[in-house]
Amino acid sequence: MKKQILGAMCAIILLLAVILSSCSATQPQSASFPSMDTLMTVKVYGGDNDLCDRLQKRIEALDATLDATDENSDIYQLNQNGTVDVSGDTADILARSLQLSKALDHSFDITVYPAVKAWGFPSGDYRVPDDAELKKLAEKIDDTAVTSDNNTYTLPRDVMIDLGAVAKGYAADQCDTILKEGHAAAAVLNLGGTVKLYGKKPDGKRFSVGVADPDNPAGYFGYLSCEDGVVATSGGYERYFERDGKRYIHILDPTTAKPVKNGILSVTILCNDGTAADALSTALFVMGLDKATEYYRAHRDFDFIILTDTHDLYITEGIADDFTLSKGYDYKIQSVEIATAPTSVSEASQ
Ligand code: AMP
Ligand code: MG
């Protein structure tokens, strides 16, 4: 009998330990920390109780190996020495970036770094390079010149790499693995302009992600309701400087090495693949509205919200019903359809 009571007590203690070691599915665990040049906030429902800690450590490790300004990072070594042996994350993200660049017709190109530096974005010592310097810089932006042999990456002279346009999206994908392994029920990770959503909220409702108002980045011009996926936004408002009344933003056109100026204020992408979402937000910003729409119609594996400086909002049909404008905003919303209606019967039957 004594043995039975002891056995029952052990079982209860074990059960309690299991309950206590996994987090409540209604009360989230959360953490905020600076990384990748921004403030990040992670919030996790359910799963192992050290999940926030594991997410933070994973993101910090990625930052340490991918940050072009950190002397100990793989990317700094590659940029300084022109060659580096890489493995793991660095090998993965470099290979993915080169593939994405090709698919995006090089409007996203990781070899923009010398131009990004020349404008002073990493250091904050802003300057406006003259036309001759810009011409030289633009000639060197070409990621097809990056070579790899068994994970030894080599750069031609004067070529340097910047993963700033994909690192947060790649981090979001790595966090997905940690959330799965740690049995999380749901999570929302705000990685500074890139938001990773995992599952549904404990009340069964979808997450609502605010889209920053470029005219007042502390506010949101609207909300996108969604579950599972990554919402990545690129906008000039995130980093820019002004000289002689002109604004110069941190997103550069690889063909000219100049800050993009095409009437777009922000591009928000929703995509299951975080690395692709991040590359797409930068690339579609560079492409401009018409080319971005064309690209969407040819691929369809993502959705976008594009805000122009005339305060027109272009939203792809996959998420048009999931977007709500904030109170006080009278932006004109235009739905971007996958296919334009055929204009004649002969066209329709072709
Ligand atoms: P994002 O905020 O994701 O659009 O990334 C912008 C950052 O990526 C900039 O701060 C630059 O470091 C870098 N960048 C700027 N223009 C490009 C481009 N056309 N392709 C790839 N990276 C870029
Ligand atoms: Mg990006």
Side-chain angles (χ1 to χ4, degrees):
M1 184 66 182
K2 255 189 186 167
K3 256 191 187 166
Q4 275 172 343
I5 293 173
L6 209 68
M9 277 172 69
C10 283
I12 290 168
I13 289 168
L14 213 74
L15 191 71
L16 269 175
V18 169
I19 290 169
L20 288 174
S21 74
S22 65
C23 272
S24 151
T26 49
Q27 283 304 312
Q29 50 173 313
S30 63
S32 288
F33 52 92
S35 191
M36 298 188 173
D37 251 353
T38 185
L39 184 70
M40 302 193 168
T41 303
V42 296
K43 200 191 250 188
V44 182
Y45 297 88
D48 299 345
N49 63 2
D50 65 344
L51 269 176
C52 283
D53 206 37
R54 269 151 64 188
L55 292 170
Q56 179 174 348
K57 288 209 171 89
R58 185 77 176 93
I59 294 169
E60 284 171 350
L62 281 173
D63 193 19
T65 182
L66 303 179
D67 181 358
T69 64
D70 180 338
E71 291 184 14
N72 297 312
S73 79
D74 283 351
I75 301 304
Y76 184 90
Q77 298 299 326
L78 175 59
N79 287 342
Q80 287 307 302
N81 306 328
T83 186
V84 73
D85 290 338
V86 293
S87 60
D89 291 315
T90 314
D92 285 351
I93 195 170
L94 282 173
R96 263 322 297 281
S97 297
L98 295 176
Q99 273 169 8
L100 284 161
S101 170
K102 206 168 163 194
L104 290 159
D105 201 16
H106 301 278
S107 48
F108 156 79
D109 187 312
I110 55 173
T111 57
V112 288
Y113 197 47
V116 171
K117 277 178 79 163
W119 287 95
F121 285 107
S123 62
D125 295 331
Y126 299 119
R127 58 188 278 275
V128 179
D130 63 25
D131 286 348
E133 187 179 351
L134 287 169
K135 193 167 172 277
K136 267 193 179 166
L137 287 164
E139 278 164 9
K140 287 286 175 183
I141 303 176
D142 175 14
D143 60 19
T144 60
V146 178
T147 55
S148 68
D149 179 16
N150 276 333
N151 281 344
T152 300
Y153 273 82
T154 307
L155 304 177
R157 247 188 86 174
D158 299 332
V159 172
M160 286 194 265
I161 276 174
D162 173 7
L163 297 171
V166 271
K168 288 184 222 147
Y170 181 81
D173 290 339
Q174 305 318 303
C175 289
D176 187 84
T177 309
I178 292 177
L179 292 167
K180 277 196 185 106
E181 284 170 1
H183 312 289
V188 50
L189 319 179
N190 189 342
L191 311 184
T194 299
V195 182
K196 160 82 187 164
L197 305 163
Y198 186 90
K200 278 186 194 173
K201 283 200 296 193
D203 58 8
K205 291 191 181 142
R206 304 170 99 199
F207 289 107
S208 177
V209 179
V211 187
D213 174 2
D215 299 326
N216 168 30
Y220 302 113
F221 66 74
Y223 290 84
L224 181 65
S225 118
C226 44
E227 62 194 86
D228 278 326
V230 174
V231 181
T233 298
S234 288
Y237 64 91
E238 287 176 328
R239 197 167 302 169
Y240 65 88
F241 68 95
E242 278 167 359
R243 275 296 136 83
D244 303 325
K246 278 193 193 160
R247 181 179 284 208
Y248 299 95
I249 67 165
H250 69 132
I251 301 170
L252 306 185
D253 182 339
T255 61
T256 61
K258 291 183 191 167
V260 175
K261 209 171 185 356
N262 59 9
I264 288 185
L265 292 184
S266 74
V267 174
T268 298
I269 303 288
L270 171 64
C271 182
N272 285 331
D273 179 329
T275 314
D278 204 352
L280 278 162
S281 69
T282 310
L284 266 57
F285 194 108
V286 174
M287 286 180 191
L289 185 61
D290 292 345
K291 236 183 131 193
T293 303
E294 229 176 83
Y295 187 88
Y296 162 73
R297 289 191 173 132
H299 294 83
R300 309 170 185 191
D301 48 0
F302 66 95
D303 281 287
F304 71 63
I305 299 172
I306 294 181
L307 175 65
T308 68
D309 58 8
T310 50
H311 291 160
D312 286 300
L313 258 183
Y314 293 83
I315 307 184
T316 53
E317 62 175 279
I319 53 170
D321 292 341
D322 302 325
F323 179 81
T324 314
L325 260 183
S326 299
K327 263 196 193 135
Y329 287 84
D330 59 355
Y331 296 175
K332 207 166 85 208
I333 298 182
Q334 324 231 13
S335 175
V336 177
E337 314 293 331
I338 284 177
T340 40
T343 49
S344 66
V345 179
S346 60
E347 230 184 282
S349 60
Q350 268 172 17

